[in-house]
Amino acid sequence: MSRIVYVNGEYLPEEDAKISVFDRGFIFADGIYEVSAVLGGKLVDCEAHLARLERSCGEINLPLPWSRAELVAIHEEMIKRNALDEGGVYLQVTRGAADRDFPFPKDAKPTLVLFTQARNYVNAPTVKTGIKVVTFPDLRWERRDIKSVGLLGQVLAKQYAAEQGANDAWLVEDGVVTEGASATAWIVKGKTLISRPLSNKVLPGITRKAVLAFLAETDFTFEERTFTLEEALDAEEAFITSATAFVMPVTTLDGHTIHNGAPGPTTLRLREIYVDFARKGGVLG
């Protein structure tokens, strides 16, 4: 049986799902997206993702005519119809279809699309080995805090990583690590976690927010600042966080081994806490 996808109020087999060739998401990347993880058939921290969706849409003056409760209900129906136990639900909203012209159209209705992807998050093989990361110049626009569907910079970075035999890329600008191509970048020194401050330079990660909320359960501290590539190479541990990676150790960076080349205890402890959080439904108090 094919996947069921959601398109503008209809649940359809994926082969029957269609949008207009004039959709501004297709023509201009004029849209916003979110991905919510699913574990044990339950959404993980979906409310936080929808809050970020609302913020991103507000930043580009994109109307969002669905309430948060309505969007949660659509997510849950998608999980049910696709019998999804572990994976993710992708949501994309665009400004809608109109004849090609740069200014916002006056009468277009937003397009809403959702689909599911089955993925192995908890027992991913890379948890035991850590991932290989390479660096790539940050070619993106200046509003990286908006979760835009315009992802060409990230596509080029991840393609470069794949060609190098790596799992992912860290983006670098002026000698400083910005973030992962689709994740927040972290390093560890002693008991201190280091990641850069939120700004228009980075996406405000939902998993980042959850990890920081867990620090009270540990003896770790957090230092919010930028870090250089050289500092990352000299770190005791490195990891990424995202809705689909959870907390994932980085053990190789640009061909250099991080510390002893094995996932570190800080990273693994944070991942353990996050997975437990996700299994319980993933809602921060």
Side-chain angles (χ1 to χ4, degrees), residues 177-260:
V177 175
T178 313
E179 57 187 340
S182 59
T184 302
W186 305 71
I187 60 173
V188 179
K189 291 195 171 185
K191 292 287 187 179
T192 302
L193 314 179
I194 301 169
S195 192
R196 69 178 297 152
L198 297 182
S199 69
N200 65 307
K201 294 285 189 180
V202 295
L203 185 73
I206 301 303
T207 310
R208 173 192 189 274
K209 180 180 179 182
V211 165
L212 293 178
F214 302 149
L215 291 189
E217 302 177 33
T218 71
D219 57 351
F220 308 139
T221 59
F222 176 52
E223 189 174 346
E224 191 174 44
R225 64 172 176 82
T226 59
F227 60 87
T228 64
L229 175 59
E230 290 72 23
E231 194 174 5
L233 292 171
D234 192 46
E236 293 171 34
E237 297 180 43
F239 64 95
I240 61 171
T241 55
S242 75
T244 55
F246 290 5
V247 180
M248 182 64 67
V250 173
T251 49
T252 303
L253 180 58
D254 279 345
H256 297 272
T257 299
I258 301 295
H259 195 48
N260 62 3

Coordinates of all heavy atoms in Angstrom, one line a residue, residues 177-260:
V177 N 32.2 28.1 13.1 CA 31.2 27.2 12.7 C 29.9 27.8 12.9 O 29.6 28.3 14.0 CB 31.4 25.9 13.6 CG1 30.2 24.9 13.3 CG2 32.7 25.2 13.3
T178 N 29.0 27.8 11.9 CA 27.7 28.4 12.0 C 26.8 27.3 12.7 O 26.3 27.5 13.8 CB 27.1 28.8 10.6 OG1 28.1 29.5 9.9 CG2 25.9 29.6 10.8
E179 N 26.5 26.2 11.9 CA 25.7 25.1 12.4 C 25.9 24.0 11.4 O 26.6 24.1 10.4 CB 24.2 25.5 12.5 CG 23.6 26.1 11.2 CD 22.2 26.6 11.4 OE1 21.6 26.3 12.4 OE2 21.8 27.4 10.5
G180 N 25.2 22.9 11.7 CA 25.2 21.8 10.8 C 24.3 22.1 9.6 O 23.5 23.1 9.7
A181 N 24.5 21.4 8.5 CA 23.7 21.7 7.3 C 22.2 21.5 7.6 O 21.4 22.1 6.9 CB 24.1 20.7 6.2
S182 N 21.8 20.7 8.6 CA 20.4 20.6 9.0 C 20.3 20.3 10.5 O 19.5 19.5 10.9 CB 19.7 19.5 8.2 OG 20.3 18.3 8.3
A183 N 21.3 20.8 11.3 CA 21.3 20.5 12.7 C 22.1 21.6 13.5 O 22.8 22.4 12.9 CB 22.0 19.2 12.9
T184 N 21.9 21.6 14.8 CA 22.7 22.5 15.6 C 24.0 21.8 15.9 O 24.1 20.6 16.2 CB 22.0 22.7 16.9 OG1 20.7 23.4 16.7 CG2 22.8 23.7 17.8
A185 N 25.1 22.5 15.9 CA 26.5 22.0 16.1 C 26.9 22.3 17.5 O 26.7 23.5 18.0 CB 27.5 22.6 15.1
W186 N 27.5 21.3 18.2 CA 28.0 21.5 19.6 C 29.4 20.9 19.7 O 29.7 20.0 19.1 CB 27.1 20.7 20.6 CG 25.6 21.0 20.5 CD1 24.7 20.6 19.6 CD2 24.8 21.6 21.6 NE1 23.5 21.0 19.9 CE2 23.5 21.6 21.1 CE3 25.2 22.1 22.8 CZ2 22.5 22.1 21.9 CZ3 24.1 22.7 23.6 CH2 22.8 22.7 23.1
I187 N 30.1 21.5 20.7 CA 31.3 20.8 21.2 C 31.3 20.8 22.7 O 30.5 21.5 23.3 CB 32.6 21.6 20.7 CG1 32.7 23.0 21.2 CG2 32.7 21.5 19.2 CD1 34.0 23.8 20.9
V188 N 32.2 19.9 23.2 CA 32.2 19.7 24.7 C 33.6 19.9 25.2 O 34.6 19.3 24.6 CB 31.7 18.3 25.1 CG1 31.8 18.1 26.6 CG2 30.3 18.1 24.5
K189 N 33.8 20.7 26.2 CA 35.1 20.8 26.9 C 34.8 20.6 28.4 O 34.1 21.4 29.0 CB 35.7 22.2 26.7 CG 36.1 22.4 25.2 CD 37.0 23.6 25.0 CE 37.6 23.6 23.6 NZ 38.6 24.7 23.5
G190 N 35.4 19.5 28.9 CA 35.1 19.1 30.3 C 33.7 18.8 30.5 O 33.1 18.0 29.8
K191 N 33.0 19.5 31.4 CA 31.6 19.3 31.6 C 30.8 20.5 31.0 O 29.6 20.7 31.3 CB 31.3 19.3 33.1 CG 31.9 18.1 33.9 CD 31.1 16.8 33.5 CE 31.5 15.7 34.3 NZ 30.7 14.5 34.0
T192 N 31.4 21.2 30.1 CA 30.7 22.4 29.5 C 30.3 22.1 28.0 O 31.2 21.7 27.2 CB 31.7 23.6 29.5 OG1 32.0 23.9 30.9 CG2 31.0 24.8 28.9
L193 N 29.1 22.3 27.7 CA 28.6 22.3 26.4 C 28.7 23.6 25.7 O 28.4 24.6 26.4 CB 27.1 21.8 26.3 CG 26.7 20.6 27.2 CD1 25.2 20.4 27.1 CD2 27.5 19.4 26.8
I194 N 29.1 23.7 24.5 CA 29.3 25.0 23.8 C 28.6 24.9 22.5 O 28.7 24.0 21.7 CB 30.8 25.2 23.6 CG1 31.6 25.3 24.9 CG2 31.0 26.6 22.8 CD1 33.1 25.3 24.7
S195 N 27.7 26.0 22.3 CA 27.0 26.1 21.0 C 26.8 27.6 20.8 O 26.6 28.4 21.8 CB 25.7 25.4 21.0 OG 25.2 25.3 19.7
R196 N 26.6 28.1 19.6 CA 26.6 29.5 19.4 C 25.2 30.1 19.8 O 24.2 29.4 19.8 CB 26.9 29.8 17.9 CG 26.0 29.4 16.9 CD 26.4 29.9 15.5 NE 26.5 31.3 15.4 CZ 27.3 32.0 14.6 NH1 28.2 31.3 13.8 NH2 27.3 33.3 14.5
P197 N 25.2 31.4 20.0 CA 23.9 32.0 20.4 C 22.9 32.0 19.3 O 23.3 32.0 18.1 CB 24.4 33.5 20.7 CG 25.9 33.4 20.9 CD 26.3 32.3 20.1
L198 N 21.7 32.1 19.6 CA 20.6 32.2 18.6 C 20.6 33.6 18.0 O 20.9 34.6 18.7 CB 19.2 32.0 19.2 CG 19.0 30.6 19.8 CD1 17.6 30.4 20.3 CD2 19.3 29.5 18.7
S199 N 20.4 33.7 16.7 CA 20.4 35.0 16.0 C 19.9 34.7 14.6 O 19.5 33.6 14.3 CB 21.8 35.6 15.9 OG 22.6 34.8 15.0
N200 N 19.9 35.7 13.7 CA 19.5 35.4 12.3 C 20.5 34.5 11.6 O 20.2 34.1 10.5 CB 19.4 36.7 11.6 CG 20.7 37.4 11.4 OD1 21.4 37.7 12.4 ND2 21.0 37.8 10.2
K201 N 21.7 34.2 12.2 CA 22.7 33.3 11.6 C 22.3 31.9 11.7 O 22.9 31.1 10.9 CB 24.0 33.6 12.3 CG 24.6 34.9 12.1 CD 25.2 35.1 10.7 CE 26.0 36.4 10.6 NZ 26.5 36.6 9.2
V202 N 21.5 31.5 12.6 CA 21.2 30.0 12.8 C 19.7 29.8 13.1 O 19.0 30.7 13.5 CB 22.0 29.5 14.1 CG1 23.5 29.5 13.8 CG2 21.6 30.2 15.3
L203 N 19.3 28.6 12.8 CA 17.9 28.2 13.1 C 17.8 27.9 14.6 O 18.6 27.2 15.2 CB 17.6 26.9 12.3 CG 16.1 26.5 12.4 CD1 15.2 27.4 11.7 CD2 16.0 25.0 11.9
P204 N 16.8 28.4 15.2 CA 16.6 28.1 16.7 C 16.1 26.6 16.8 O 14.9 26.3 16.7 CB 15.5 29.1 17.1 CG 14.7 29.4 15.8 CD 15.7 29.3 14.7
G205 N 17.0 25.7 17.1 CA 16.7 24.3 17.1 C 15.7 23.9 18.2 O 15.9 24.3 19.4
I206 N 14.7 23.1 17.9 CA 13.8 22.6 18.9 C 14.5 21.6 19.8 O 14.3 21.6 21.0 CB 12.6 22.0 18.2 CG1 11.9 23.0 17.3 CG2 11.6 21.4 19.2 CD1 11.4 24.3 18.0
T207 N 15.3 20.7 19.2 CA 16.0 19.8 20.0 C 17.1 20.5 20.9 O 17.4 20.0 22.0 CB 16.7 18.7 19.1 OG1 15.7 18.2 18.2 CG2 17.2 17.5 19.9
R208 N 17.7 21.5 20.3 CA 18.6 22.3 21.1 C 17.9 22.8 22.4 O 18.5 22.7 23.5 CB 19.1 23.5 20.3 CG 20.0 24.6 21.0 CD 20.1 25.8 20.2 NE 21.1 26.7 20.7 CZ 20.8 27.7 21.6 NH1 19.6 27.8 22.1 NH2 21.8 28.5 22.0
K209 N 16.7 23.4 22.2 CA 16.0 23.9 23.4 C 15.7 22.8 24.4 O 15.8 23.0 25.6 CB 14.7 24.5 22.8 CG 13.8 25.1 23.9 CD 12.5 25.6 23.3 CE 11.6 26.2 24.4 NZ 10.3 26.7 23.8
A210 N 15.3 21.6 23.9 CA 15.1 20.5 24.8 C 16.3 20.1 25.6 O 16.3 19.9 26.8 CB 14.5 19.3 24.0
V211 N 17.4 20.0 24.9 CA 18.7 19.6 25.5 C 19.0 20.6 26.6 O 19.4 20.2 27.8 CB 19.8 19.5 24.5 CG1 21.2 19.4 25.2 CG2 19.6 18.2 23.6
L212 N 18.9 21.8 26.4 CA 19.2 22.8 27.4 C 18.3 22.7 28.6 O 18.7 23.0 29.8 CB 19.2 24.2 26.8 CG 20.2 24.6 25.8 CD1 20.1 26.0 25.2 CD2 21.6 24.4 26.4
A213 N 17.0 22.3 28.3 CA 16.1 22.2 29.4 C 16.5 21.0 30.3 O 16.1 20.9 31.5 CB 14.7 21.9 28.9
F214 N 17.2 20.0 29.8 CA 17.6 18.8 30.5 C 18.8 19.0 31.4 O 19.1 18.2 32.2 CB 17.9 17.6 29.6 CG 16.8 17.3 28.7 CD1 17.1 16.7 27.4 CD2 15.5 17.4 29.0 CE1 16.0 16.4 26.6 CE2 14.4 17.1 28.2 CZ 14.7 16.6 26.9
L215 N 19.5 20.1 31.3 CA 20.8 20.3 31.9 C 20.7 20.2 33.5 O 21.6 19.9 34.2 CB 21.5 21.6 31.5 CG 22.0 21.6 30.1 CD1 22.8 22.9 29.9 CD2 22.8 20.4 29.7
A216 N 19.5 20.6 34.0 CA 19.2 20.5 35.4 C 19.3 19.1 35.9 O 19.6 18.9 37.1 CB 17.9 21.1 35.8
E217 N 19.1 18.1 35.0 CA 19.2 16.7 35.4 C 20.7 16.2 35.4 O 20.9 15.0 35.7 CB 18.4 15.9 34.5 CG 16.9 16.2 34.5 CD 16.1 15.4 33.5 OE1 16.5 14.2 33.3 OE2 15.2 15.9 32.8
T218 N 21.6 17.0 35.0 CA 23.0 16.6 34.8 C 23.9 17.6 35.6 O 23.5 18.5 36.2 CB 23.4 16.6 33.3 OG1 23.5 18.0 32.9 CG2 22.4 15.9 32.5
D219 N 25.2 17.3 35.5 CA 26.2 18.2 36.1 C 26.9 19.0 35.0 O 28.0 19.5 35.2 CB 27.2 17.5 37.0 CG 27.9 16.4 36.3 OD1 27.5 16.0 35.1 OD2 28.9 15.8 36.9
F220 N 26.3 19.1 33.9 CA 26.8 19.8 32.7 C 26.4 21.3 32.8 O 25.4 21.6 33.3 CB 26.4 19.2 31.4 CG 26.6 17.8 31.2 CD1 25.6 17.0 30.6 CD2 27.7 17.1 31.7 CE1 25.7 15.6 30.5 CE2 27.9 15.8 31.6 CZ 26.9 15.0 31.0
T221 N 27.3 22.1 32.3 CA 27.0 23.5 32.1 C 27.0 23.9 30.7 O 27.4 23.2 29.8 CB 28.0 24.4 32.9 OG1 29.3 24.2 32.4 CG2 28.0 24.1 34.4
F222 N 26.4 25.1 30.4 CA 26.3 25.5 29.0 C 27.0 26.9 28.8 O 26.7 27.8 29.6 CB 24.8 25.6 28.6 CG 24.6 26.2 27.2 CD1 25.2 25.6 26.1 CD2 23.7 27.2 27.0 CE1 25.0 26.1 24.8 CE2 23.5 27.7 25.7 CZ 24.1 27.2 24.6
E223 N 27.8 27.0 27.8 CA 28.4 28.2 27.4 C 28.0 28.6 26.0 O 28.3 27.9 25.0 CB 30.0 28.1 27.4 CG 30.7 29.4 27.3 CD 32.2 29.2 27.5 OE1 32.7 28.2 27.9 OE2 32.9 30.2 27.1
E224 N 27.2 29.7 25.9 CA 26.6 30.1 24.7 C 27.5 31.1 24.0 O 27.6 32.2 24.3 CB 25.2 30.7 24.9 CG 24.4 30.9 23.6 CD 23.0 31.4 23.9 OE1 22.9 32.3 24.8 OE2 22.1 30.9 23.3
R225 N 28.3 30.6 23.0 CA 29.2 31.4 22.2 C 29.6 30.7 20.9 O 29.3 29.5 20.7 CB 30.5 31.6 23.1 CG 31.3 30.4 23.4 CD 32.6 30.7 24.1 NE 33.4 29.6 24.5 CZ 34.2 28.9 23.7 NH1 34.3 29.2 22.4 NH2 34.9 27.9 24.1
T226 N 30.2 31.5 20.1 CA 30.7 30.9 18.8 C 32.0 30.1 19.1 O 32.6 30.3 20.1 CB 31.0 32.0 17.8 OG1 32.0 32.8 18.3 CG2 29.8 32.7 17.4
F227 N 32.3 29.2 18.2 CA 33.6 28.4 18.3 C 34.1 28.2 16.9 O 33.4 28.2 15.9 CB 33.4 27.1 19.0 CG 32.4 26.1 18.4 CD1 32.8 25.2 17.4 CD2 31.1 26.1 18.8 CE1 32.0 24.3 16.8 CE2 30.2 25.1 18.3 CZ 30.7 24.3 17.3
T228 N 35.4 28.2 16.8 CA 36.1 28.0 15.5 C 36.3 26.6 15.2 O 36.1 25.7 16.0 CB 37.5 28.7 15.6 OG1 38.3 27.9 16.6 CG2 37.5 30.1 16.0
L229 N 36.7 26.4 13.9 CA 36.9 25.0 13.4 C 38.1 24.4 14.2 O 38.1 23.2 14.6 CB 37.2 25.0 12.0 CG 37.7 23.7 11.3 CD1 36.6 22.6 11.5 CD2 38.0 23.9 9.8
E230 N 39.1 25.2 14.5 CA 40.3 24.7 15.2 C 39.9 24.3 16.6 O 40.4 23.3 17.1 CB 41.4 25.8 15.3 CG 42.1 26.1 14.0 CD 41.2 26.9 13.0 OE1 40.2 27.5 13.4 OE2 41.4 26.8 11.8
E231 N 39.0 25.0 17.2 CA 38.5 24.7 18.6 C 37.7 23.4 18.5 O 37.8 22.5 19.4 CB 37.7 25.8 19.1 CG 37.4 25.7 20.6 CD 36.7 26.9 21.2 OE1 36.3 27.8 20.4 OE2 36.5 27.0 22.4
A232 N 37.0 23.2 17.5 CA 36.2 22.0 17.4 C 37.1 20.8 17.2 O 36.8 19.7 17.8 CB 35.2 22.1 16.2
L233 N 38.2 20.9 16.4 CA 39.1 19.8 16.2 C 39.8 19.4 17.5 O 40.2 18.3 17.7 CB 40.1 20.2 15.2 CG 39.6 20.4 13.7 CD1 40.7 21.0 12.8 CD2 39.1 19.1 13.2
D234 N 39.9 20.4 18.4 CA 40.6 20.1 19.7 C 39.6 19.7 20.8 O 40.0 19.6 22.0 CB 41.4 21.3 20.1 CG 42.4 21.1 21.2 OD1 43.1 20.0 21.2 OD2 42.4 21.9 22.2
A235 N 38.3 19.6 20.5 CA 37.3 19.4 21.6 C 37.4 18.0 22.1 O 37.9 17.1 21.4 CB 35.9 19.7 21.0
E236 N 36.9 17.8 23.3 CA 36.8 16.4 23.9 C 35.7 15.6 23.3 O 35.8 14.4 23.2 CB 36.6 16.6 25.4 CG 37.8 17.1 26.1 CD 37.6 17.5 27.6 OE1 36.8 16.7 28.2 OE2 38.1 18.5 28.1
E237 N 34.6 16.3 22.9 CA 33.5 15.7 22.2 C 32.9 16.7 21.3 O 33.0 17.9 21.4 CB 32.4 15.2 23.2 CG 32.8 14.1 24.2 CD 31.7 13.7 25.1 OE1 30.6 13.5 24.6 OE2 31.9 13.6 26.3
A238 N 32.1 16.2 20.3 CA 31.3 17.0 19.4 C 30.0 16.2 19.1 O 30.0 15.0 19.1 CB 32.1 17.4 18.1
F239 N 29.0 17.0 18.9 CA 27.7 16.3 18.5 C 26.8 17.3 17.8 O 27.0 18.5 17.7 CB 27.0 15.7 19.7 CG 26.6 16.7 20.8 CD1 25.3 17.1 20.8 CD2 27.4 17.0 21.8 CE1 24.8 18.0 21.8 CE2 27.0 17.9 22.8 CZ 25.7 18.4 22.8
I240 N 25.7 16.7 17.2 CA 24.7 17.6 16.6 C 23.4 17.2 17.3 O 23.2 16.2 17.9 CB 24.6 17.3 15.1 CG1 24.2 15.9 14.8 CG2 25.8 17.8 14.4 CD1 23.9 15.6 13.3
T241 N 22.4 18.2 17.2 CA 21.0 17.9 17.6 C 20.1 18.3 16.5 O 20.3 19.4 15.9 CB 20.7 18.7 18.9 OG1 20.9 20.1 18.7 CG2 21.5 18.1 20.1
S242 N 19.0 17.5 16.3 CA 18.0 17.9 15.4 C 16.8 17.0 15.6 O 16.9 16.0 16.4 CB 18.4 17.8 13.9 OG 18.5 16.4 13.5
A243 N 15.7 17.3 15.0 CA 14.5 16.5 15.2 C 14.6 15.1 14.7 O 14.0 14.2 15.2 CB 13.3 17.2 14.5
T244 N 15.5 14.9 13.7 CA 15.7 13.6 13.1 C 16.9 12.9 13.6 O 17.0 11.6 13.5 CB 15.7 13.7 11.6 OG1 16.7 14.6 11.2 CG2 14.3 14.1 11.0
A245 N 17.9 13.6 14.1 CA 19.2 13.0 14.6 C 19.1 12.8 16.1 O 19.9 12.0 16.7 CB 20.4 13.8 14.2
F246 N 18.1 13.5 16.8 CA 18.1 13.5 18.2 C 19.4 14.2 18.7 O 19.7 15.3 18.4 CB 17.8 12.2 18.8 CG 16.5 11.6 18.6 CD1 15.5 12.2 17.8 CD2 16.1 10.4 19.2 CE1 14.3 11.7 17.6 CE2 14.8 9.9 19.0 CZ 13.9 10.5 18.2
V247 N 20.2 13.4 19.5 CA 21.5 13.9 19.9 C 22.5 12.8 19.3 O 22.5 11.7 19.6 CB 21.7 13.9 21.4 CG1 23.1 14.3 21.8 CG2 20.6 14.8 22.0
M248 N 23.3 13.3 18.3 CA 24.1 12.4 17.5 C 25.6 12.7 17.7 O 26.0 13.9 17.4 CB 23.7 12.4 16.1 CG 24.5 11.5 15.2 SD 24.2 9.7 15.6 CE 22.5 9.6 15.1
P249 N 26.5 11.8 18.1 CA 27.9 12.1 18.3 C 28.6 12.3 16.9 O 28.3 11.6 15.9 CB 28.4 10.8 19.0 CG 27.4 9.7 18.7 CD 26.1 10.4 18.6
V250 N 29.5 13.2 16.9 CA 30.4 13.5 15.8 C 31.8 13.0 16.2 O 32.3 13.4 17.2 CB 30.5 15.0 15.4 CG1 31.5 15.2 14.4 CG2 29.1 15.5 15.0
T251 N 32.3 12.0 15.5 CA 33.6 11.5 15.9 C 34.8 11.8 14.9 O 35.9 11.6 15.2 CB 33.5 9.9 16.0 OG1 32.9 9.4 14.9 CG2 32.7 9.6 17.3
T252 N 34.4 12.3 13.7 CA 35.4 12.7 12.7 C 35.0 14.0 12.1 O 33.9 14.2 11.7 CB 35.6 11.6 11.6 OG1 35.9 10.4 12.2 CG2 36.7 12.0 10.7
L253 N 36.0 14.9 12.1 CA 35.7 16.3 11.5 C 36.8 16.6 10.5 O 38.0 16.7 10.9 CB 35.6 17.3 12.6 CG 35.3 18.7 12.2 CD1 34.0 18.9 11.4 CD2 35.3 19.7 13.4
D254 N 36.5 16.7 9.2 CA 37.4 17.0 8.2 C 38.6 16.0 8.2 O 39.8 16.3 8.0 CB 38.0 18.4 8.3 CG 37.1 19.4 7.7 OD1 36.1 19.0 6.9 OD2 37.2 20.6 7.9
G255 N 38.2 14.7 8.5 CA 39.2 13.6 8.5 C 40.0 13.5 9.7 O 40.8 12.6 9.9
H256 N 39.8 14.4 10.7 CA 40.5 14.4 12.0 C 39.6 13.7 13.0 O 38.4 14.0 13.1 CB 40.9 15.8 12.4 CG 41.8 16.5 11.5 ND1 43.2 16.4 11.6 CD2 41.6 17.3 10.5 CE1 43.8 17.1 10.7 NE2 42.8 17.7 10.0
T257 N 40.2 12.9 13.8 CA 39.5 12.2 14.9 C 39.2 13.1 16.0 O 40.2 13.8 16.5 CB 40.3 11.0 15.4 OG1 40.4 10.0 14.3 CG2 39.5 10.2 16.5
I258 N 38.0 13.2 16.5 CA 37.7 14.0 17.7 C 38.0 13.1 18.9 O 37.5 12.0 19.1 CB 36.2 14.3 17.7 CG1 35.8 15.1 16.5 CG2 35.8 15.1 19.0 CD1 36.5 16.5 16.4
H259 N 38.9 13.6 19.7 CA 39.4 13.0 20.9 C 39.9 11.5 20.6 O 40.8 11.4 19.8 CB 38.3 13.0 22.0 CG 38.8 12.7 23.4 ND1 39.9 13.2 23.9 CD2 38.3 11.8 24.3 CE1 40.1 12.7 25.1 NE2 39.2 11.9 25.4
N260 N 39.2 10.5 21.1 CA 39.6 9.1 20.9 C 38.8 8.4 19.8 O 39.0 7.2 19.6 CB 39.6 8.3 22.2 CG 38.1 8.2 22.7 OD1 37.2 8.7 22.1 ND2 38.0 7.6 23.9

